[in-house]
Amino acid sequence: SRAVTGEVMAATFAEWRRVGSTCRGAMVLALSDLLSGAGWGLIDAHGEPKLALGVLSQVLAPVQVLITDEGTNGLDIHLLNETSAPVEARLELTAWRDGLTPVISVVRDVMLPPRSQQRHTGFELIGSFFDLGYAYRFGPPSHDVVRARLVDASGVSLSEAFHLPLGLALPRQQLDLTAEAKELGEGIFELALTARRFAQRVVIRDPQFRAEMNGLNIAPGETRHVRMHPRAGTPAHARLDAVISALNGLQDVRIT
């Protein structure tokens, strides 16, 4: 239920930011809650970021890729560069079956001029008809996860967006989610998170450390790095005791 608000906000802001949108700006009603309990804020009354903040932040970057579902017209991929410098990148479009087996993998080099937008259709990128959004329902679905990603020349991911054509309620499966911790100094740790199968909205909880980002999606076989910062009052030599979970995972992972 905590992920729902983030998903709704992310989808709404993605629609407002897409190429062709007439929206010229939007505001979040409240950054922080004033009292304990259910509230409109993205940060709770104790200063803890809510899951909605992590999910929403993933569609608000200056260099951004977004996916919108256009029904029988397929999926549109929107590329945004709101910076004052051009961006040369590689656009990757991938679809997986059972969150594991790639069925489509397309790569295209793109140039994003300063303060520009581009829209690419899935049909255009693939070069032929492929029901990425599963709108036509021709037989059983061939895939359940779609990702568009922008990668720079050095291989660093600039932005990524996921689309789940069968809906957000993925079946719980064995993801083989693993985590490794590395101490960076000054009480900061870094977690390397890897999953054999697509991991949906990964959340990291620790009594003494706060995750820099929660609500990540992890593509199959890839690694995401998340820093863990000590909360106020955490002893200097405190160690991690983190529990990591994914919405579609059967088991949590604990790392100490």
Side-chain angles (χ1 to χ4, degrees):
S1 62
R2 294 181 181 182
V4 170
T5 51
E7 295 285 4
V8 172
M9 294 181 78
T12 303
F13 273 83
E15 173 65 22
W16 286 337
R17 295 191 74 194
R18 67 171 175 83
V19 177
S21 170
T22 58
C23 177
R24 291 294 178 263
M27 293 186 297
V28 176
L29 179 62
L31 177 63
S32 302
D33 292 341
L34 301 180
L35 299 171
S36 297
W40 292 94
L42 295 175
I43 298 171
D44 70 20
H46 305 287
E48 289 291 314
K50 297 182 181 180
L51 184 56
L53 178 59
V55 177
L56 177 61
S57 68
Q58 295 172 51
V59 300
L60 297 180
V63 177
Q64 182 75 55
V65 58
L66 301 167
I67 298 176
T68 58
D69 189 344
E70 304 301 325
T72 54
N73 287 328
L75 301 184
D76 279 357
I77 316 301
H78 305 265
L79 309 180
L80 313 178
N81 176 20
E82 296 180 346
T83 72
S84 60
V87 173
E88 292 186 53
R90 184 175 72 247
L91 173 60
E92 302 174 350
L93 181 64
T94 311
W96 292 274
R97 180 174 60 249
D98 296 328
L100 178 64
T101 305
V103 296
I104 285 289
S105 183
V106 178
V107 177
R108 174 176 292 189
D109 291 331
V110 292
M111 167 64 80
L112 306 179
R115 300 184 178 87
S116 67
Q117 300 178 330
Q118 294 181 14
R119 181 178 67 89
H120 301 269
T121 68
F123 299 144
E124 166 201 341
L125 293 171
I126 296 170
S128 61
F129 174 81
F130 186 83
D131 192 7
L132 275 176
Y134 195 50
Y136 289 89
R137 313 282 168 156
F138 294 152
S142 62
H143 62 288
D144 54 3
V145 180
V146 179
R147 181 184 70 175
R149 180 168 73 151
L150 281 175
V151 182
D152 69 14
S154 61
V156 175
S157 179
L158 301 176
S159 176
E160 63 181 3
F162 289 86
H163 177 72
L164 306 180
L166 307 185
L168 298 177
L170 294 180
R172 299 182 70 187
Q173 294 178 295
Q174 183 62 48
L175 307 179
D176 293 335
L177 178 64
T178 62
E180 294 183 359
K182 176 182 179 182
E183 189 168 4
L184 301 181
E186 299 182 355
I188 299 174
F189 292 84
E190 183 176 78
L191 294 182
L193 307 175
T194 303
R196 186 177 67 92
R197 193 185 299 269
F198 171 72
Q200 181 187 17
R201 297 305 178 201
V202 174
V203 173
I204 307 163
R205 300 179 179 88
D206 188 288
Q208 299 189 98
F209 292 84
R210 178 184 295 127
E212 195 171 61
M213 171 66 73
N214 265 321
L216 293 171
N217 291 320
I218 302 179
E222 296 186 1
T223 300
R224 297 296 302 270
H225 297 273
V226 179
R227 292 191 174 186
M228 305 291 292
H229 298 271
R231 291 186 172 88
T234 297
H237 300 291
R239 313 304 290 175
L240 284 178
D241 186 15
V243 176
I244 303 157
S245 59
L247 281 183
N248 61 330
L250 283 174
Q251 300 163 331
D252 293 344
V253 175
R254 187 165 188 169
I255 184 167
T256 57

